[in-house]
Amino acid sequence: MIFAVLDTNVLISAALAHNKYSIPYSVFRGVVERRFVPLVDDNIVREYWEVFSRPKF
């Protein structure tokens, strides 16, 4: 099992990916498929929330 901290930029890139074979999308898919275990704390969750709450998203 691989533990990973997912940077906000990776999540944004995965969400906006037009290419399903891009690295960010592959990493996100790995989390969904439980090949990676995301490590988060309150600060990371707060950053995710702040970034994904922006009007352009």
Side-chain angles (χ1 to χ4, degrees), residues 14-56:
L16 299 176
H18 295 291
N19 178 355
K20 301 303 180 195
Y21 298 103
S22 71
I23 299 294
Y25 185 83
S26 296
V27 170
F28 180 75
R29 191 175 61 229
V31 171
V32 172
E33 294 171 355
R34 297 183 177 201
R35 289 183 284 131
F36 303 119
V37 177
L39 300 176
V40 297
D41 67 3
D42 290 341
N43 293 320
I44 293 171
V45 171
R46 197 173 304 116
E47 181 179 338
Y48 292 165
W49 185 259
E50 178 186 319
V51 171
F52 279 104
S53 296
R54 292 178 183 165
K56 61 182 170 182

